[in-house]
Amino acid sequence: MARLHLFDLDGTLLHGSSAPVEISRQLGLEAQTVALDKAIGAGRISPLEYASHVHALWAELTEAHVAAAFAGAPWLSGIEEVWAEIRGSGDYCAVVSLSPSFFVERLTEWGAHAAYGSRFPAVPFTEPVDPAGILSAAAKVQIADRLCAEYGLGRADCVAYGDSMSDKDLFEAVPVSVAVNADQHLTGLATHSYVGRDLADAYQLTRHSR
């Protein structure tokens, strides 16, 4: 039976950072977004409040800024190689993140079968954030279920990789999970734990869990 590998982005595929922080760095607004990351990580603001704040910060954002942020981000090593191995084995890989879809979806070019993020207006912004498009921790489970239905799989066939509170619901819903450079919110929930900067090492932890 094939498996579906579900990857978080911020703090997981990105080491010690998030897509919004990397985007904001291009605008000289890194400090403000780091503070927002801490607030949402502690549960002091909601995903919608977070999205509204970064949308306001990014009034001058262009596609060139987004491309530079993606290219310069602190990615784990081995992402493309791991996803090629997953594809080669007949499994599926997807990225599900609360970060903006215009950043997350670029990961399909690296080999992800699917990539989901919160829907923001097109860059440069001329419209407000639509609350209906902003993802939550619970939405990650809903997206996993939709992908399972598309691929003919069930939750029992899923492996989740994440680092924080936004991954808690998904970790509770699937049988195999890897806490990657994770915080205390995933303590005791993950099947495996990995600290480091090579996705191949994190992926190897799941190879026997079939």
Side-chain angles (χ1 to χ4, degrees):
M1 174 66 73
R3 295 202 294 182
L4 170 59
H5 296 260
L6 297 154
F7 296 90
D8 172 54
L9 173 63
D10 302 323
T12 303
L13 297 177
L14 286 175
H15 184 267
S17 189
S18 69
V21 167
E22 296 305 311
I23 293 167
S24 292
R25 181 173 289 122
Q26 301 299 317
L27 299 168
L29 299 169
E30 178 184 358
Q32 293 92 320
T33 310
V34 168
L36 289 172
D37 275 9
K38 290 179 179 178
I40 193 172
R44 294 195 302 271
I45 61 174
S46 69
L48 178 56
E49 289 171 318
Y50 181 95
S52 297
H53 284 305
V54 295
H55 178 273
L57 283 176
W58 295 341
E60 305 300 321
L61 187 64
T62 66
E63 282 289 347
H65 291 131
V66 178
F70 189 91
W75 299 101
L76 293 189
S77 61
I79 295 174
E80 292 180 80
E81 292 79 7
V82 167
W83 290 352
E85 184 173 339
I86 287 172
R87 282 177 166 269
S89 69
D91 287 351
Y92 300 90
C93 53
V95 182
V96 186
S97 170
L98 274 57
S99 277
S101 57
F102 59 72
F103 189 98
V104 181
E105 289 169 359
R106 290 171 176 260
L107 287 165
T108 58
E109 299 175 8
W110 287 10
H113 286 91
Y116 290 86
S118 292
R119 293 195 308 273
F120 274 64
V123 175
F125 298 147
T126 59
E127 300 173 358
V129 170
D130 179 359
I134 303 305
L135 300 186
S136 64
K140 288 191 173 188
V141 179
Q142 296 165 2
I143 290 170
D145 286 341
R146 292 205 301 269
L147 289 171
C148 282
E150 179 179 346
Y151 301 142
L153 304 173
R155 290 185 184 181
D157 307 307
C158 291
V159 182
Y161 303 75
D163 75 303
S164 66
M165 185 167 62
S166 71
D167 305 299
K168 185 174 182 289
D169 288 7
L170 188 58
F171 272 42
E172 291 175 338
V174 305
V176 180
S177 55
V178 184
V180 179
N181 299 314
D183 64 24
Q184 73 279 6
H185 293 102
L186 299 184
T187 301
L189 285 178
T191 313
H192 307 284
S193 182
Y194 172 72
V195 177
R197 301 196 65 163
D198 190 337
L199 186 61
D201 291 338
Y203 170 64
Q204 288 299 322
L205 295 173
T206 74
R207 296 298 298 276
H208 70 280
S209 303
R210 297 195 72 97

Coordinates of all heavy atoms in Angstrom, one line a residue, residues 81-163:
E81 N 15.7 15.4 -3.2 CA 16.1 14.0 -3.2 C 15.1 13.1 -2.5 O 14.8 12.0 -3.0 CB 17.5 13.9 -2.7 CG 18.6 14.5 -3.5 CD 18.7 16.1 -3.3 OE1 18.0 16.6 -2.4 OE2 19.5 16.7 -4.0
V82 N 14.7 13.6 -1.3 CA 13.7 12.8 -0.6 C 12.4 12.6 -1.3 O 11.9 11.5 -1.4 CB 13.5 13.4 0.8 CG1 12.3 12.7 1.5 CG2 14.7 13.2 1.7
W83 N 12.0 13.7 -1.9 CA 10.7 13.6 -2.6 C 10.8 12.8 -3.9 O 9.9 12.1 -4.3 CB 10.2 15.1 -2.9 CG 9.7 15.8 -1.7 CD1 9.6 15.2 -0.4 CD2 9.4 17.2 -1.5 NE1 9.2 16.2 0.5 CE2 9.0 17.4 -0.2 CE3 9.3 18.2 -2.4 CZ2 8.6 18.6 0.3 CZ3 8.9 19.5 -2.0 CH2 8.6 19.7 -0.6
A84 N 12.0 12.8 -4.5 CA 12.2 12.0 -5.7 C 12.2 10.5 -5.2 O 11.6 9.6 -5.9 CB 13.5 12.3 -6.3
E85 N 12.7 10.2 -4.1 CA 12.7 8.8 -3.6 C 11.3 8.4 -3.2 O 10.9 7.3 -3.5 CB 13.6 8.7 -2.3 CG 13.7 7.3 -1.8 CD 14.7 7.1 -0.7 OE1 15.7 7.9 -0.6 OE2 14.7 6.1 0.0
I86 N 10.5 9.3 -2.6 CA 9.1 9.0 -2.3 C 8.3 8.7 -3.5 O 7.6 7.7 -3.6 CB 8.5 10.2 -1.5 CG1 9.1 10.2 -0.1 CG2 7.0 10.1 -1.5 CD1 8.7 11.5 0.7
R87 N 8.5 9.5 -4.5 CA 7.8 9.3 -5.8 C 8.2 8.0 -6.4 O 7.4 7.2 -6.9 CB 8.1 10.5 -6.8 CG 7.3 11.7 -6.5 CD 7.7 12.8 -7.5 NE 6.8 13.9 -7.5 CZ 5.7 14.1 -8.3 NH1 5.5 13.1 -9.2 NH2 4.9 15.1 -8.2
G88 N 9.5 7.7 -6.4 CA 10.1 6.5 -7.0 C 9.6 5.3 -6.4 O 9.5 4.2 -7.0
S89 N 9.2 5.3 -5.1 CA 8.7 4.2 -4.4 C 7.2 4.0 -4.5 O 6.7 3.0 -4.0 CB 9.1 4.3 -2.9 OG 8.3 5.3 -2.3
G90 N 6.6 4.9 -5.2 CA 5.1 4.8 -5.4 C 4.3 5.5 -4.4 O 3.1 5.4 -4.4
D91 N 5.0 6.2 -3.4 CA 4.3 7.0 -2.4 C 4.0 8.4 -2.9 O 4.4 8.8 -4.0 CB 5.2 7.0 -1.1 CG 5.2 5.7 -0.4 OD1 4.4 4.8 -0.7 OD2 6.0 5.6 0.6
Y92 N 3.3 9.2 -2.1 CA 3.0 10.5 -2.4 C 3.5 11.5 -1.4 O 3.7 11.1 -0.2 CB 1.4 10.7 -2.4 CG 0.8 9.8 -3.4 CD1 0.3 8.5 -3.1 CD2 0.5 10.2 -4.7 CE1 -0.3 7.7 -4.0 CE2 -0.1 9.4 -5.7 CZ -0.5 8.2 -5.3 OH -1.1 7.3 -6.2
C93 N 3.8 12.7 -1.8 CA 4.3 13.7 -0.8 C 3.5 15.0 -1.1 O 3.3 15.4 -2.2 CB 5.8 13.9 -0.9 SG 6.4 14.3 -2.6
A94 N 3.2 15.7 0.0 CA 2.5 17.0 -0.1 C 2.9 17.9 1.0 O 3.4 17.4 2.1 CB 1.0 16.7 0.0
V95 N 2.8 19.2 0.8 CA 3.1 20.2 1.8 C 1.8 20.9 2.2 O 1.0 21.3 1.3 CB 4.1 21.3 1.2 CG1 4.4 22.3 2.3 CG2 5.4 20.6 0.7
V96 N 1.6 21.0 3.5 CA 0.4 21.7 4.0 C 0.8 22.6 5.0 O 1.3 22.3 6.1 CB -0.6 20.7 4.5 CG1 -1.9 21.4 4.9 CG2 -0.9 19.5 3.6
S97 N 0.6 23.9 4.8 CA 1.2 25.0 5.6 C 0.2 26.1 5.8 O -0.7 26.3 4.9 CB 2.4 25.5 5.0 OG 2.9 26.7 5.6
L98 N 0.2 26.8 6.9 CA -0.6 28.0 7.1 C 0.0 29.2 6.4 O -0.7 30.2 6.4 CB -0.7 28.3 8.6 CG -1.8 27.5 9.4 CD1 -1.7 26.0 9.3 CD2 -1.8 28.0 10.9
S99 N 1.2 29.1 5.9 CA 1.8 30.2 5.2 C 1.1 30.5 3.9 O 0.4 29.7 3.4 CB 3.3 29.9 5.0 OG 4.0 30.3 6.2
P100 N 1.4 31.6 3.2 CA 0.7 32.0 2.0 C 0.9 31.0 0.9 O 2.1 30.5 0.6 CB 1.4 33.4 1.6 CG 1.8 33.9 2.9 CD 2.3 32.7 3.7
S101 N -0.1 30.7 0.2 CA -0.1 29.7 -0.9 C 0.9 30.2 -2.0 O 1.5 29.3 -2.7 CB -1.5 29.5 -1.5 OG -2.0 30.7 -1.9
F102 N 1.0 31.5 -2.2 CA 1.9 31.9 -3.3 C 3.4 31.6 -3.0 O 4.2 31.6 -4.0 CB 1.8 33.4 -3.6 CG 2.0 34.4 -2.4 CD1 3.3 34.6 -2.0 CD2 1.0 35.1 -1.8 CE1 3.6 35.5 -0.9 CE2 1.2 36.0 -0.8 CZ 2.5 36.2 -0.4
F103 N 3.7 31.3 -1.8 CA 5.1 30.8 -1.4 C 5.1 29.3 -1.4 O 5.9 28.6 -2.0 CB 5.5 31.4 -0.1 CG 6.9 31.1 0.3 CD1 7.9 32.1 0.1 CD2 7.3 29.9 0.9 CE1 9.2 31.8 0.5 CE2 8.6 29.6 1.2 CZ 9.6 30.6 1.0
V104 N 4.1 28.7 -0.8 CA 4.1 27.2 -0.6 C 4.0 26.5 -1.9 O 4.7 25.5 -2.1 CB 2.9 26.8 0.3 CG1 2.8 25.3 0.6 CG2 2.9 27.6 1.7
E105 N 3.2 27.0 -2.8 CA 3.0 26.3 -4.1 C 4.2 26.2 -4.9 O 4.3 25.3 -5.8 CB 1.8 26.9 -4.8 CG 0.5 26.7 -4.2 CD -0.6 27.6 -4.8 OE1 -0.3 28.4 -5.7 OE2 -1.8 27.4 -4.3
R106 N 5.2 27.0 -4.7 CA 6.5 26.9 -5.4 C 7.1 25.5 -5.2 O 8.0 25.1 -6.0 CB 7.4 28.0 -5.0 CG 7.0 29.4 -5.5 CD 7.8 30.5 -4.9 NE 7.4 31.8 -5.5 CZ 8.1 32.4 -6.5 NH1 9.2 31.9 -7.0 NH2 7.6 33.6 -6.9
L107 N 6.8 24.8 -4.1 CA 7.4 23.6 -3.8 C 7.0 22.4 -4.7 O 7.6 21.4 -4.7 CB 7.2 23.2 -2.3 CG 8.0 24.1 -1.3 CD1 7.5 23.9 0.1 CD2 9.5 23.7 -1.4
T108 N 5.9 22.6 -5.5 CA 5.6 21.6 -6.5 C 6.7 21.5 -7.5 O 6.9 20.4 -8.1 CB 4.3 21.9 -7.2 OG1 4.3 23.2 -7.8 CG2 3.1 21.9 -6.2
E109 N 7.5 22.6 -7.7 CA 8.6 22.5 -8.7 C 9.7 21.7 -8.1 O 10.6 21.2 -8.9 CB 9.1 23.9 -8.9 CG 8.0 24.9 -9.6 CD 8.5 26.3 -9.7 OE1 9.7 26.5 -9.4 OE2 7.7 27.2 -10.0
W110 N 9.7 21.4 -6.8 CA 10.8 20.5 -6.2 C 10.3 19.1 -6.1 O 11.1 18.3 -5.7 CB 11.1 21.1 -4.8 CG 11.9 22.3 -4.9 CD1 12.2 23.1 -5.9 CD2 12.6 22.9 -3.7 NE1 13.0 24.2 -5.5 CE2 13.2 24.1 -4.2 CE3 12.6 22.6 -2.4 CZ2 13.9 24.9 -3.3 CZ3 13.4 23.4 -1.5 CH2 14.0 24.6 -2.0
G111 N 9.1 18.8 -6.6 CA 8.7 17.4 -6.6 C 7.5 17.0 -5.7 O 7.1 15.9 -5.7
A112 N 6.9 18.0 -5.0 CA 5.7 17.7 -4.2 C 4.5 17.4 -5.1 O 4.3 18.1 -6.1 CB 5.4 18.8 -3.2
H113 N 3.8 16.4 -4.8 CA 2.6 16.1 -5.6 C 1.5 17.2 -5.4 O 0.8 17.5 -6.4 CB 1.9 14.8 -5.2 CG 2.6 13.6 -5.6 ND1 3.6 13.0 -4.8 CD2 2.6 12.8 -6.7 CE1 4.1 11.9 -5.5 NE2 3.5 11.8 -6.6
A114 N 1.5 17.8 -4.2 CA 0.5 18.9 -4.0 C 1.1 19.8 -2.9 O 2.0 19.4 -2.1 CB -0.8 18.3 -3.5
A115 N 0.7 21.1 -2.9 CA 1.2 22.0 -1.9 C 0.0 23.0 -1.6 O -0.5 23.7 -2.5 CB 2.4 22.8 -2.4
Y116 N -0.3 23.1 -0.3 CA -1.4 23.9 0.1 C -1.0 24.9 1.1 O -0.3 24.6 2.0 CB -2.5 23.0 0.7 CG -3.3 22.2 -0.3 CD1 -2.8 20.9 -0.6 CD2 -4.5 22.6 -0.9 CE1 -3.5 20.1 -1.5 CE2 -5.2 21.8 -1.7 CZ -4.7 20.5 -2.1 OH -5.3 19.7 -3.0
G117 N -1.4 26.2 1.0 CA -1.2 27.2 1.9 C -2.4 28.1 2.1 O -3.4 27.9 1.3
S118 N -2.4 29.0 2.9 CA -3.5 30.0 3.1 C -3.5 30.9 1.8 O -2.5 31.3 1.3 CB -3.2 30.9 4.3 OG -3.3 30.2 5.5
R119 N -4.8 31.1 1.3 CA -5.0 31.8 0.1 C -4.9 33.3 0.4 O -5.7 33.8 1.1 CB -6.3 31.5 -0.6 CG -6.3 30.0 -1.1 CD -7.5 29.9 -2.1 NE -8.8 30.3 -1.5 CZ -9.6 29.5 -0.7 NH1 -9.2 28.3 -0.4 NH2 -10.7 30.0 -0.2
F120 N -3.9 34.0 -0.2 CA -3.8 35.4 -0.1 C -4.1 36.0 -1.5 O -4.1 35.3 -2.5 CB -2.3 35.8 0.2 CG -2.0 35.8 1.7 CD1 -2.1 34.7 2.5 CD2 -1.7 37.0 2.3 CE1 -1.8 34.7 3.8 CE2 -1.4 37.0 3.7 CZ -1.4 35.9 4.4
P121 N -4.4 37.3 -1.5 CA -4.6 37.9 -2.8 C -3.4 37.8 -3.7 O -2.3 37.6 -3.1 CB -5.0 39.4 -2.5 CG -5.4 39.4 -1.0 CD -4.6 38.2 -0.4
A122 N -3.5 38.0 -5.0 CA -2.4 38.0 -5.8 C -1.4 39.2 -5.5 O -1.9 40.3 -5.0 CB -2.8 38.2 -7.3
V123 N -0.1 39.0 -5.7 CA 0.9 40.0 -5.4 C 1.1 40.8 -6.7 O 1.2 40.2 -7.7 CB 2.2 39.3 -4.9 CG1 3.3 40.3 -4.8 CG2 1.9 38.5 -3.6
P124 N 1.3 42.1 -6.6 CA 1.1 43.0 -5.4 C -0.4 43.1 -5.0 O -1.3 43.1 -5.8 CB 1.7 44.3 -5.9 CG 1.4 44.3 -7.3 CD 1.6 42.9 -7.8
F125 N -0.6 43.3 -3.7 CA -1.9 43.2 -3.1 C -2.8 44.4 -3.6 O -2.3 45.6 -3.5 CB -1.9 43.2 -1.6 CG -1.2 42.0 -1.0 CD1 -0.5 42.1 0.2 CD2 -1.3 40.8 -1.6 CE1 0.1 41.0 0.8 CE2 -0.7 39.7 -1.0 CZ 0.0 39.8 0.1
T126 N -4.0 44.1 -4.0 CA -5.0 45.2 -4.3 C -6.3 44.8 -3.6 O -7.2 45.6 -3.7 CB -5.2 45.3 -5.8 OG1 -5.7 44.1 -6.3 CG2 -3.9 45.8 -6.5
E127 N -6.3 43.7 -2.9 CA -7.5 43.2 -2.3 C -7.2 42.8 -0.9 O -6.0 42.5 -0.6 CB -8.1 42.0 -3.0 CG -8.5 42.3 -4.5 CD -8.9 41.1 -5.2 OE1 -8.9 40.0 -4.5 OE2 -9.3 41.2 -6.3
P128 N -8.2 42.8 0.0 CA -7.9 42.3 1.4 C -7.8 40.8 1.5 O -8.1 40.1 0.5 CB -9.2 42.8 2.2 CG -10.2 42.9 1.1 CD -9.5 43.3 -0.1
V129 N -7.5 40.3 2.6 CA -7.4 38.9 2.9 C -8.9 38.3 3.0 O -9.7 38.9 3.7 CB -6.6 38.5 4.2 CG1 -6.8 37.1 4.6 CG2 -5.2 38.9 4.0
D130 N -9.1 37.2 2.3 CA -10.4 36.6 2.5 C -10.3 35.6 3.6 O -9.6 34.6 3.5 CB -10.8 35.8 1.2 CG -12.1 35.1 1.3 OD1 -12.8 35.1 2.3 OD2 -12.5 34.5 0.3
P131 N -11.1 35.8 4.7 CA -11.0 34.9 5.9 C -11.2 33.4 5.5 O -10.6 32.5 6.1 CB -12.1 35.4 6.8 CG -12.2 36.9 6.5 CD -12.0 36.9 5.0
A132 N -12.0 33.2 4.5 CA -12.3 31.8 4.1 C -11.1 31.0 3.6 O -11.1 29.8 3.6 CB -13.5 31.8 3.1
G133 N -10.1 31.8 3.1 CA -9.0 31.1 2.6 C -7.8 30.9 3.5 O -6.8 30.3 3.1
I134 N -8.0 31.3 4.8 CA -6.9 31.2 5.7 C -7.0 29.8 6.5 O -8.0 29.5 7.0 CB -6.9 32.3 6.8 CG1 -6.8 33.7 6.0 CG2 -5.8 32.2 7.8 CD1 -5.6 33.8 5.1
L135 N -5.9 29.1 6.4 CA -5.9 27.7 7.0 C -5.7 27.7 8.5 O -5.1 28.7 9.0 CB -4.9 26.8 6.3 CG -5.0 26.7 4.8 CD1 -3.9 25.7 4.3 CD2 -6.4 26.2 4.4
S136 N -6.0 26.7 9.1 CA -5.8 26.5 10.5 C -5.2 25.1 10.8 O -5.1 24.3 9.8 CB -7.2 26.5 11.3 OG -8.0 25.5 10.9
A137 N -4.9 24.8 12.0 CA -4.4 23.4 12.3 C -5.4 22.4 11.9 O -5.1 21.3 11.4 CB -4.1 23.3 13.8
A138 N -6.7 22.6 12.2 CA -7.7 21.6 11.8 C -7.8 21.5 10.3 O -8.1 20.4 9.8 CB -9.1 22.1 12.4
A139 N -7.6 22.5 9.6 CA -7.6 22.5 8.1 C -6.6 21.5 7.5 O -6.8 20.9 6.5 CB -7.5 23.9 7.5
K140 N -5.5 21.4 8.2 CA -4.4 20.4 7.8 C -5.0 19.0 7.7 O -4.7 18.3 6.8 CB -3.2 20.5 8.7 CG -2.4 21.8 8.6 CD -1.1 21.6 9.3 CE -0.2 22.8 9.0 NZ 1.2 22.7 9.6
V141 N -5.8 18.7 8.7 CA -6.4 17.3 8.7 C -7.4 17.2 7.6 O -7.5 16.2 6.9 CB -7.0 17.0 10.1 CG1 -7.7 15.6 10.1 CG2 -6.0 17.2 11.2
Q142 N -8.2 18.2 7.4 CA -9.2 18.2 6.3 C -8.5 18.0 4.9 O -9.0 17.3 4.1 CB -10.0 19.5 6.3 CG -10.9 19.6 7.6 CD -11.4 21.0 7.8 OE1 -11.2 21.9 7.0 NE2 -12.1 21.2 8.9
I143 N -7.4 18.8 4.7 CA -6.7 18.6 3.5 C -6.1 17.2 3.3 O -6.1 16.7 2.2 CB -5.6 19.7 3.4 CG1 -6.3 21.1 3.2 CG2 -4.7 19.5 2.2 CD1 -5.3 22.3 3.3
A144 N -5.5 16.7 4.4 CA -5.0 15.3 4.4 C -6.1 14.4 4.0 O -5.8 13.5 3.1 CB -4.4 15.0 5.7
D145 N -7.3 14.5 4.5 CA -8.4 13.6 4.1 C -8.7 13.8 2.7 O -9.0 12.7 2.0 CB -9.6 14.0 5.0 CG -9.5 13.5 6.4 OD1 -8.7 12.6 6.7 OD2 -10.3 14.0 7.3
R146 N -8.7 15.0 2.1 CA -9.0 15.2 0.7 C -8.0 14.5 -0.2 O -8.3 13.9 -1.2 CB -9.2 16.7 0.4 CG -10.4 17.3 1.0 CD -10.8 18.6 0.2 NE -9.7 19.6 0.1 CZ -9.6 20.6 1.0 NH1 -10.4 20.7 2.0 NH2 -8.6 21.5 0.8
L147 N -6.7 14.7 0.2 CA -5.7 14.1 -0.5 C -5.7 12.5 -0.5 O -5.5 11.9 -1.5 CB -4.3 14.5 0.0 CG -3.9 16.0 -0.3 CD1 -2.7 16.4 0.4 CD2 -3.8 16.2 -1.8
C148 N -6.1 12.0 0.7 CA -6.2 10.6 0.8 C -7.3 10.1 -0.1 O -7.2 9.0 -0.8 CB -6.6 10.2 2.3 SG -5.2 10.2 3.4
A149 N -8.4 10.8 -0.2 CA -9.5 10.4 -1.1 C -9.1 10.4 -2.5 O -9.4 9.5 -3.3 CB -10.7 11.3 -0.9
E150 N -8.3 11.4 -2.9 CA -7.8 11.6 -4.2 C -6.9 10.4 -4.6 O -6.9 9.9 -5.8 CB -7.1 12.9 -4.4 CG -6.5 13.1 -5.8 CD -5.8 14.5 -5.9 OE1 -6.0 15.4 -5.0 OE2 -5.1 14.7 -6.9
Y151 N -6.0 10.0 -3.7 CA -5.0 9.0 -4.0 C -5.5 7.6 -3.6 O -4.7 6.6 -3.8 CB -3.7 9.3 -3.2 CG -3.1 10.7 -3.5 CD1 -2.5 11.5 -2.6 CD2 -3.2 11.2 -4.8 CE1 -2.0 12.7 -2.9 CE2 -2.6 12.4 -5.1 CZ -2.0 13.2 -4.2 OH -1.5 14.4 -4.5
G152 N -6.7 7.4 -3.1 CA -7.2 6.1 -2.7 C -6.5 5.6 -1.5 O -6.3 4.4 -1.3
L153 N -6.3 6.5 -0.5 CA -5.6 6.1 0.7 C -6.5 6.5 1.9 O -7.6 7.1 1.7 CB -4.3 6.8 0.9 CG -3.3 6.6 -0.3 CD1 -2.0 7.5 -0.1 CD2 -2.9 5.1 -0.4
G154 N -6.1 6.1 3.1 CA -6.7 6.5 4.3 C -5.8 7.1 5.3 O -4.5 7.1 5.1
R155 N -6.3 7.6 6.4 CA -5.4 8.2 7.4 C -4.3 7.2 7.9 O -3.2 7.6 8.3 CB -6.2 8.7 8.6 CG -7.0 10.0 8.3 CD -7.7 10.5 9.6 NE -8.6 11.6 9.4 CZ -9.2 12.2 10.3 NH1 -9.1 11.8 11.6 NH2 -10.1 13.2 10.0
A156 N -4.6 6.0 7.9 CA -3.7 4.9 8.4 C -2.5 4.8 7.5 O -1.5 4.2 7.8 CB -4.4 3.6 8.4
D157 N -2.6 5.4 6.3 CA -1.5 5.4 5.3 C -0.7 6.7 5.3 O 0.2 6.8 4.4 CB -2.1 5.1 3.9 CG -3.0 3.9 3.8 OD1 -2.5 2.8 4.3 OD2 -4.1 4.1 3.4
C158 N -0.9 7.5 6.3 CA -0.2 8.8 6.3 C 1.0 8.9 7.2 O 1.0 8.3 8.3 CB -1.2 9.9 6.6 SG -2.5 10.2 5.4
V159 N 1.9 9.7 6.8 CA 3.1 10.1 7.7 C 3.1 11.6 7.7 O 3.1 12.2 6.7 CB 4.4 9.5 7.1 CG1 5.6 9.9 8.1 CG2 4.3 8.0 6.9
A160 N 3.2 12.2 8.9 CA 3.2 13.6 9.1 C 4.6 14.1 9.6 O 5.2 13.4 10.5 CB 2.1 14.1 10.0
Y161 N 5.0 15.2 9.1 CA 6.3 15.8 9.5 C 6.0 17.2 10.0 O 5.4 18.0 9.2 CB 7.3 15.9 8.4 CG 7.6 14.5 7.8 CD1 6.7 13.9 6.9 CD2 8.8 13.9 8.0 CE1 7.0 12.7 6.3 CE2 9.2 12.7 7.4 CZ 8.2 12.1 6.6 OH 8.5 10.9 6.0
G162 N 6.3 17.6 11.2 CA 6.0 19.0 11.7 C 6.8 19.4 12.9 O 7.6 18.6 13.4
D163 N 6.6 20.6 13.4 CA 7.4 21.1 14.4 C 6.7 21.8 15.5 O 7.3 22.1 16.6 CB 8.4 22.1 13.8 CG 7.8 23.4 13.5 OD1 6.8 23.5 12.7 OD2 8.3 24.5 14.0

